[in-house]
Amino acid sequence: MAESDIYEELREKLNLFPVRVPRTKELMEMLKVVYTPEEAEFLAHFSAPLQNPETIDQIVKKTGKPREKIQEIIEGLVSRGLLYRFKSSDGTIYYTLPPIVPGFDLYYFSSGRDSDEKRKAAKLFDKYFTDSLGVEMGASNYPWARVMPSEKTITVDKEISADLIILPFEKMSEFIKTSRCIAVINCSCRTIRKCNHPLETCLVFGAVADFMVENGYGHYLSVEQALELLEKMEEAGLVHNTMNIQARPTFICSCCSCACIILRNLVELHNPRAFAKSNFLPVMDDEICTKCKKCVNICPTHARVYHASHDNEPERILFLEERCIGCGLCAYHCSNGATKLVKVRDQIPEKTPAEAFVRVEAERIH
Ligand code: SF4
Ligand code: SF4
């Protein structure tokens, strides 16, 4: 088979995931930078996404290639985050092809290992995100990602939300306290596009945590350390994002609008379906507000706007609700308690990644 056909077959396989992978010059160039022709051919014939993961015995049988050769290809891919490996409860090792997002971006780029290959791939990925991938990441009315509110800022306000209780999927601490293991890895987005925000910020859980630590991409954290890290991220003005599901997600990112593809998709590419908003909104007490503008400066979506006094009108802090994603950073950074975050709706996400996948497809608009 011609080399270009091999990479096209790999693209077509990656294109079967919820976040589509349209063919562009940059994408095809990036695939050639990252995968050898042998690796591309190997992955192109992997099981269809989100179906059965495969054991090495199954792969050997399917391909008819010597076991040693398959082992060599697998090790090369796993060590670079291009093939995901996990152990089931009975100890069997399985392999699956990760999607481009969230998967390839997270596993391949967060390794933070600087090389000519990584730098070249990062440049091509960034251009691909701006020109094509961003639109695909928000192509459904059911977004695959969701904002997690700053938990510390949530206030139960009976007047506003008498019937609404804070549900487990809305609390990051719930995921963290009940996870078998937690690891922290470098933010893949800030590896691709460098900025001044902290780099070691993304939490991964369970099997993904094991995978990243085994590959030398991250290190385990205790529950206390993970909770402390989340708070430091809020202090740094970062927005927590995760998968739009009720079950424990595989990751919690802490995003900035200068580098992170989830937040940039909304703020820079103006994609309204970039991610689901949280069920919370900030409420401001104008009597207490000192108009210090901290909330205006920290808000990643410009939902808080300072309006100077004019024509005998006092200065004001305006709130543009349609821009608000319910992250709670304004409340976190309001030092005199004039802003609090309250629950205002009860949008319940799908339970599992598989159910979310079906919903993303069902509500796909292009
Ligand atoms: S941070 Fe608080 S006190 Fe300062 S302007 Fe915003 S709401 Fe007012
Ligand atoms: S106003 Fe801005 S900072 Fe506050 S919750 Fe909304 S998006 Fe977040």
Side-chain angles (χ1 to χ4, degrees), residues 106-148:
L106 197 70
Y107 303 145
Y108 176 72
F109 287 113
S110 64
S111 67
R113 292 171 189 159
D114 250 353
S115 65
D116 284 346
E117 177 195 303
K118 279 273 166 67
R119 277 189 288 273
K120 202 167 175 193
K123 209 169 160 194
L124 291 164
F125 184 91
D126 198 41
K127 176 92 171 83
Y128 186 54
F129 165 74
T130 311
D131 291 350
S132 297
L133 191 63
V135 173
E136 297 300 328
M137 286 171 63
S140 172
N141 279 325
Y142 186 85
W144 62 273
R146 178 169 50 88
V147 170
M148 290 296 284

Side-chain angles (χ1 to χ4, degrees), residues 67-360:
R67 191 182 179 85
E68 299 68 38
K69 184 71 204 165
I70 295 295
Q71 189 79 52
E72 185 194 315
I73 298 173
I74 285 179
E75 286 311 316
L77 287 166
V78 168
S79 66
R80 277 143 61 228
L82 301 173
L83 184 66
Y84 178 59
R85 173 172 60 198
F86 69 96
K87 201 189 276 185
S88 68
S89 50
D90 67 2
T92 311
I93 308 262
Y94 288 99
Y95 300 92
T96 59
L97 173 67
I100 282 277
V101 174
F104 163 83
D105 59 332
L106 197 70
Y107 303 145
Y108 176 72
F109 287 113
S110 64
S111 67
R113 292 171 189 159
D114 250 353
S115 65
D116 284 346
E117 177 195 303
K118 279 273 166 67
R119 277 189 288 273
K120 202 167 175 193
K123 209 169 160 194
L124 291 164
F125 184 91
D126 198 41
K127 176 92 171 83
Y128 186 54
F129 165 74
T130 311
D131 291 350
S132 297
L133 191 63
V135 173
E136 297 300 328
M137 286 171 63
S140 172
N141 279 325
Y142 186 85
W144 62 273
R146 178 169 50 88
V147 170
M148 290 296 284
S150 158
E151 217 170 304
K152 195 179 163 186
T153 66
I154 295 174
T155 307
V156 178
D157 191 319
K158 296 279 179 222
E159 271 180 38
I160 297 170
S161 50
D163 305 331
L164 303 173
I165 52 166
I166 319 300
L167 296 165
F169 72 84
E170 294 172 315
K171 293 185 189 167
M172 289 175 290
S173 63
E174 197 75 22
F175 294 141
I176 288 169
K177 285 176 189 163
T178 57
S179 183
R180 175 176 61 78
C181 62
I182 313 155
V184 62
I185 60 172
N186 283 344
C187 167
S188 52
C189 297
R190 287 191 278 276
T191 304
I192 295 167
R193 177 185 265 230
K194 298 199 186 319
C195 72
N196 291 329
H197 288 104
L199 190 59
E200 198 179 65
T201 56
C202 294
L203 295 180
V204 284
F205 302 102
V208 175
D210 291 334
F211 176 72
M212 298 307 259
V213 174
E214 279 164 17
N215 276 307
Y217 300 164
H219 56 93
Y220 291 116
L221 293 183
S222 66
V223 166
E224 294 69 31
Q225 286 171 322
L227 292 172
E228 203 178 304
L229 182 82
L230 284 183
E231 177 134 9
K232 276 191 190 148
M233 297 306 102
E234 288 162 27
E235 188 62 47
L238 301 179
V239 176
H240 306 303
N241 273 294
T242 189
M243 294 161 78
N244 194 11
I245 54 172
Q246 290 181 52
R248 184 186 303 103
T250 51
F251 67 87
I252 295 176
C253 290
S254 291
C255 300
C256 58
S257 53
C258 33
C260 294
I261 55 175
I262 300 182
L263 205 49
R264 277 174 66 207
N265 202 5
L266 176 77
V267 176
E268 190 181 309
L269 304 184
H270 308 290
N271 188 336
R273 285 169 289 274
F275 48 81
K277 296 176 177 187
S278 82
N279 283 327
F280 299 80
L281 279 179
V283 175
M284 192 185 84
D285 186 336
D286 203 39
E287 301 276 297
I288 307 176
C289 174
T290 59
K291 315 297 180 284
C292 70
K293 295 192 262 182
K294 277 188 198 159
C295 57
V296 174
N297 296 331
I298 205 72
C299 177
T301 62
H302 309 292
R304 288 262 172 131
V305 181
Y306 177 72
H307 197 37
S309 71
H310 64 100
D311 304 329
N312 296 327
E313 288 278 327
E315 60 179 348
R316 285 189 297 157
I317 303 291
L318 304 178
F319 177 51
L320 307 177
E321 188 180 323
E322 66 279 11
R323 289 187 187 174
C324 178
I325 57 176
C327 65
L329 283 177
C330 51
Y332 186 92
H333 287 264
C334 178
S335 39
N336 67 351
T339 290
K340 56 189 178 182
L341 197 68
V342 296
K343 189 159 180 182
V344 293
R345 55 184 163 252
D346 228 348
Q347 243 159 27
I348 312 283
E350 295 296 333
K351 285 200 179 81
T352 63
E355 287 168 0
F357 180 22
V358 170
R359 184 92 182 269
V360 169

Side-chain angles (χ1 to χ4, degrees), residues 4-20:
S4 55
D5 295 341
I6 294 168
Y7 287 102
E8 174 56 16
E9 278 199 15
L10 175 58
R11 184 197 72 77
E12 284 169 11
K13 182 55 62 82
L14 292 167
N15 200 40
L16 297 173
F17 283 101
V19 175
R20 300 279 199 267

